[in-house]
Amino acid sequence: DVKVTQSSRYLVKRTGEKVFLECVQDMDHENMFWYRQDPGLGLRLIYFSYDVKMKEKGDIPEGYSVSREKKERFSLILESASTNQTSMYLCASSIDRGSSPLHFGNGTRLTVT
Amino acid sequence: DAKTTQPNSMESNEEEPVHLPCNHSTISGTDYIHWYRQLPSQGPEYVIHGLTSNVNNRMASLAIAEDRKSSTLILHRATLRDAAVYYCILRDYYTGANSKLTFGKGITLSVRP
């Protein structure tokens, strides 16, 4: 089975801190995604990557950056965390093909105080 | 990007069939239709996908309209464990930089005992 692992289940950070959310997949997938999920807003795409060192903005990239130095790892970076970035963050990966499903991690619940 | 629209919520009785609709009127000829579900406190999980023909697997069936502008996820006998948020998304056959995937809010399915 594909495994997508997010480094932390719960995280509490202070306003202004630099925050790293890590995601690792073990199936050599080309595509990786970062979403955030908020009540009433569904899943919103922050960034995605279709290859090592390649990244594309999603629908809400402001305040975030990403890094994909190795194929299996996709990091989401909050340069200066703010309270409106308190959310559930979900990472997903997939083979680079339209018929291939996405595999999600269990999420990181980030609280910024 | 092609978008999907779904009702916000639906209710069902246990052991009865459930039909979850999805409209995708701007679907392109190369878009696959994917369905995912998200149980409480978990990341979304893949349910089923299709291109033109109806599809069946152990979890559900997918019925695709002849013009492909809508689809229906069918749970043949709802159980309490099927209470979840169900997402319908479109994924282009030609991925790579086109891999941007928008999920939206999904349908919240409630199952009555």
Side-chain angles (χ1 to χ4, degrees):
Chain A
D1 269 357
V2 175
K3 193 164 186 182
V4 178
T5 303
Q6 295 184 230
S7 54
S8 304
R9 188 83 168 110
Y10 299 95
L11 209 52
V12 179
K13 296 291 182 180
R14 294 187 182 276
T15 302
E17 278 193 81
K18 189 168 187 175
V19 181
F20 292 87
L21 302 184
E22 305 287 349
C23 176
V24 177
Q25 48 95 3
D26 64 358
M27 283 300 289
D28 204 36
H29 286 170
E30 298 89 357
N31 294 163
M32 295 189 75
F33 307 81
W34 274 108
Y35 292 89
R36 66 177 281 178
Q37 185 169 33
D38 301 287
L41 297 178
L43 272 77
R44 294 182 291 168
L45 180 64
I46 304 171
Y47 267 96
F48 68 97
S49 168
Y50 56 94
D51 203 348
V52 176
K53 296 191 187 294
M54 304 304 289
K55 58 187 178 185
E56 294 282 342
K57 292 180 180 179
D59 296 315
I60 52 163
E62 297 78 20
Y64 302 94
S65 62
V66 290
S67 172
R68 185 125 183 244
E69 295 298 316
K70 293 185 177 181
K71 195 173 188 179
E72 67 270 20
R73 186 180 297 270
F74 192 35
S75 302
L76 180 68
I77 303 158
L78 287 66
E79 294 290 341
S80 177
S82 64
T83 55
N84 63 13
Q85 292 178 309
T86 292
S87 186
M88 171 67 82
Y89 290 88
L90 290 157
C91 174
S93 75
S94 171
I95 295 172
D96 187 23
R97 195 162 61 233
S99 58
S100 297
L102 270 67
H103 301 268
F104 282 84
N106 278 327
T108 295
R109 183 163 294 281
L110 172 68
T111 302
V112 182
T113 61
Chain B
D1 290 332
K3 298 292 187 206
T4 62
T5 56
Q6 302 176 262
N8 289 333
S9 62
M10 289 186 69
E11 288 190 340
S12 172
N13 294 319
E14 196 174 14
E15 298 191 3
E16 290 185 357
V18 182
H19 291 234
L20 302 173
C22 182
N23 287 319
H24 26 81
S25 59
T26 58
I27 191 170
S28 76
T30 54
D31 282 329
Y32 282 86
I33 302 159
H34 287 240
W35 281 83
Y36 293 79
R37 74 175 185 180
Q38 186 175 21
L39 301 170
S41 301
Q42 294 186 23
E45 63 174 340
Y46 166 78
V47 177
I48 200 166
H49 78 275
L51 185 62
T52 56
S53 303
N54 295 344
V55 184
N56 300 297
N57 67 19
R58 64 175 179 81
M59 291 178 71
S61 296
L62 176 60
I64 301 173
E66 198 168 332
D67 64 4
R68 299 208 329 123
K69 294 185 176 182
S70 65
S71 61
T72 303
L73 181 71
I74 303 165
L75 308 178
H76 295 286
R77 285 185 69 201
T79 70
L80 297 178
R81 289 190 299 273
D82 290 324
V85 180
Y86 289 80
Y87 299 95
C88 164
I89 69 166
L90 302 179
R91 187 166 198 198
D92 197 319
Y93 178 86
Y94 300 104
T95 49
N98 291 325
S99 294
K100 179 177 177 180
L101 295 176
T102 301
F103 269 73
K105 300 179 186 179
I107 303 171
T108 300
L109 175 66
S110 304
V111 180
R112 291 184 290 256

